[in-house]
Structure formats: structure tokens, C-alpha cells
Amino acid sequence: MNTDYTLPPGAASDWTIPQNWTAYTPEQHATWDTLFARQAKLLPGRVAPEFLNGLDMLRLSKPGIPDFEELSERLLKATGWQVVAVPGLVPDDVFFDHLANRRFVSGNFIRRPDQLDYLQEPDVFHDVFGHVPLLANPVFADYMQAYGIGGQRANGLGAIRNLARLYWYTVEFGLVQTRDGLRLYGAGIASSHSESIFALDDPSPNRIGFDLRRIMRTLYRIDDFQQVYFVIDSFDALLEATLKTDFGPLYEDLARAGDLSPDAVELNDVILSKGTQAYAHARVGN
Ligand code: HBI
Ligand code: FE
């Protein structure tokens, strides 16, 4: 995927850079505060309770862009994870190596005030607000490390394309069933005001029960709301499904099975809601 990137000047060989927290301007801290306030208001009743717990445990409501040293100190105590700064997207093998060692890489920059609703590269709000709360949960913390270790293996088997879909449809855009109803937990949803509403409430997307093999066959779009969301029963079930799977033979099987489009519905799918796809069809180019 990103393996042709060259190491930016000033970065260490593992692509980390100093966060340089004291260099953030008051405007940049204010951007964080604006984004935080908007999501903190929207998410209760929408996000998995484990996410809200993480926000609380890590004191993420403290004003301003979090200082990674302080954040890592709390996170280390909770689950042994740390947050390290990187300039942007890093090559897959570097990304996997950090995760396998319980280090989460975060962009140190923040979006401009005119980009509050969408940007292509993951910034500190997406990475820290979106991803880090669940890293304070022991089960999810283990899942993320397992993904990193699995990524190192997939790299050698030419199967990153398949494995990356698992990350996409769980870590970035996952939904979870709870006693109180459907909740979001994916960082791409949790850090987006509009998708936090769309993913749960809009009639357009399909919502389908989690199935590891099915997910790894499914293409995804990076430039718009998802056309399908996959729903796990619990973080325990997600971790167990990945730990008990022998990915080697599965990758061979997936190569034969072929890819599915994001709006596909398969015979064996557990359909929680069949989408109209009206949103996707109304967009130019669909
Ligand atoms: N780099 N900084 C950063 N953040 C990511 O989420 C990321 C990355 N490099 C590769 C990557 N994600 C994914 O493509 C892998 O899961 C395959
Ligand atoms: Fe992300």
C-alpha cells in the first residue's frame, strides 16, 4: 500500500517524530476543543460504553490537544499501550511493527478550521479522539496488537489487501450490538460528526453481522460514507474470532473467492438492516 514512502527528514527510522506539543498555537488547541465538544455532545447513546469509559479514564476532556507523554502515562497503566507521533501515513510494515509492540501511531498535526468535517490524512483528532479511548479497554487493546502481529504475517503472504479490510470494517467503521441497541465504535465514525449519525440512523447503508471471511472479501471506499457496516456482538467475540482463525489457509481461500462490492448482499449474510443505498446512488460517480 504505502511501502514506497521515503522517510521524512527529522523522523527516526521507525518514522516517529517528537510531538512538539509546546509548538501548537492557541488556534490549533481551539480546533481540538471545537471538535471535542461537538462529538462529546453527540456520542452518548451512540458510541459503545467502553469508548466513553476510555475518554474518562484517559482524561481526554481536558482542554487542548493532548500531550502524548501524559496520555501514554495513563494508557500504559491501563493496558500497556503508548501513543507516538508520526508525520502522517507510514508504510504498512512500520505501522504493523508499532501495533505489534503496543504503540499507536498518531499524526501530530491538526486539521485547519475550514476542514472540520473532512480530511484525507488522519490528524491528531482522528487518531487520538477516534482510536485511543478503546486502547484503554483490555480486550480491544489485545485485538489491536493481534492485528499488528497478523499484519506482519499477512505482509509475507501478499494478503495485506484482505487484512486491511478487517481493520477498516472493525477498527475504523465498526458497529457493536449492545443490550441498549446498536452502538458505533470505529474511529472513523467516532471522529466524524456526520458519519456518527449516518452510520446508525440513515436508511441507506446495509448493516450486516460480523463475519471475518465475508469482511475480508469486501471492498471499501475511503472517500465517502460506507455502504455497509459490520456489527460485532462484543469486543470479546471480535478478539476470539481473530485469535482462533488460521489466516494462512483463509488467505488462499480468499484469493479464489474473489472480492465483493461494498453494497453486496450475500446468501449467508445476517442482515440487521437492508439498506436502500439511496445515499450512495445519489452521489455522482456511483
Ligand atoms: N499509517 N499513520 C498511519 N495510520 C494508519 O492508520 C495507517 C498507516 N499506515 C498503513 C495503514 N494505516 C493501513 O493501510 C494498514 O492497516 C494496512
Ligand atoms: Fe484511523
Side-chain angles (χ1 to χ4, degrees):
M1 237 167 269
N2 313 308
T3 36
D4 54 348
Y5 288 0
T6 50
L7 191 67
S13 59
D14 66 357
W15 285 66
T16 59
I17 55 172
Q19 183 190 11
N20 208 2
W21 188 82
T22 53
Y24 292 123
T25 65
E27 288 72 24
Q28 290 173 321
H29 285 302
T31 297
W32 170 281
D33 291 342
T34 299
L35 291 163
F36 186 95
R38 200 164 67 151
Q39 287 312 88
K41 187 169 175 214
L42 180 64
L43 289 181
R46 291 186 175 272
V47 80
E50 291 88 344
F51 184 100
L52 294 175
N53 266 339
L55 282 182
D56 206 39
M57 281 176 62
L58 300 172
R59 307 283 186 270
L60 281 166
S61 62
K62 191 177 151 183
I65 298 168
D67 181 335
F68 293 178
E69 269 183 40
E70 193 184 318
L71 182 58
S72 294
E73 214 174 288
R74 293 186 199 282
L75 196 53
L76 266 170
K77 282 185 194 143
T79 56
W81 275 77
Q82 286 170 266
V83 179
V84 294
V86 290
L89 286 174
V90 303
D92 292 337
D93 59 332
V94 174
F95 185 66
F96 295 141
D97 182 65
H98 282 297
L99 295 182
N101 291 286
R102 290 174 104 86
R103 291 186 300 267
F104 190 77
V105 296
S106 170
N108 72 336
F109 66 96
I110 191 153
R111 65 197 74 185
R112 297 191 313 260
D114 62 314
Q115 298 173 311
L116 289 194
D117 293 311
Y118 183 75
L119 84 169
Q120 196 88 24
E121 283 232 340
D123 73 342
V124 64
F125 187 75
H126 167 81
D127 282 332
V128 170
F129 182 88
H131 285 282
V132 173
L134 283 182
L135 290 174
N137 175 271
V139 177
F140 198 83
D142 284 354
Y143 174 68
M144 288 290 279
Q145 182 179 22
Y147 178 82
I149 296 166
Q152 294 175 320
R153 249 181 251 134
N155 221 348
L157 299 170
I160 285 186
R161 267 172 57 82
N162 293 301
L163 188 68
R165 295 171 188 164
L166 177 63
Y167 191 86
W168 192 262
Y169 283 118
T170 60
V171 177
E172 293 292 353
F173 292 97
L175 302 181
V176 57
Q177 194 68 64
T178 77
R179 273 177 306 161
D180 302 322
L182 210 53
R183 295 288 184 270
L184 63 92
Y185 71 89
I189 311 176
S191 62
S192 161
H193 188 78
S194 52
E195 198 150 357
S196 294
I197 297 167
F198 180 89
L200 292 176
D201 297 349
D202 203 278
S204 187
N206 296 324
R207 298 180 184 86
I208 296 176
F210 174 89
D211 177 319
L212 194 63
R213 179 176 181 277
R214 162 69 160 94
I215 285 178
M216 293 206 293
R217 293 182 64 195
T218 311
L219 297 163
Y220 58 83
R221 41 186 322 157
I222 62 165
D223 58 342
D224 209 334
F225 295 144
Q226 300 307 304
Q227 289 178 270
V228 58
Y229 297 92
F230 290 94
V231 182
I232 60 171
D233 286 331
S234 65
F235 294 130
D236 282 303
L238 174 63
L239 177 63
E240 194 194 315
T242 57
L243 293 182
K244 76 170 191 216
T245 297
D246 187 355
F247 283 78
L250 180 51
Y251 292 142
E252 287 174 33
D253 167 50
L254 290 169
R256 285 187 297 269
D259 295 343
L260 296 173
S261 70
D263 62 348
V265 176
E266 291 286 284
L267 213 52
N268 291 323
D269 286 346
V270 174
I271 300 169
L272 297 157
S273 54
K274 170 82 178 78
T276 62
Q277 298 299 332
Y279 173 82
H281 293 155
R283 303 286 287 190
V284 183
N286 275 285

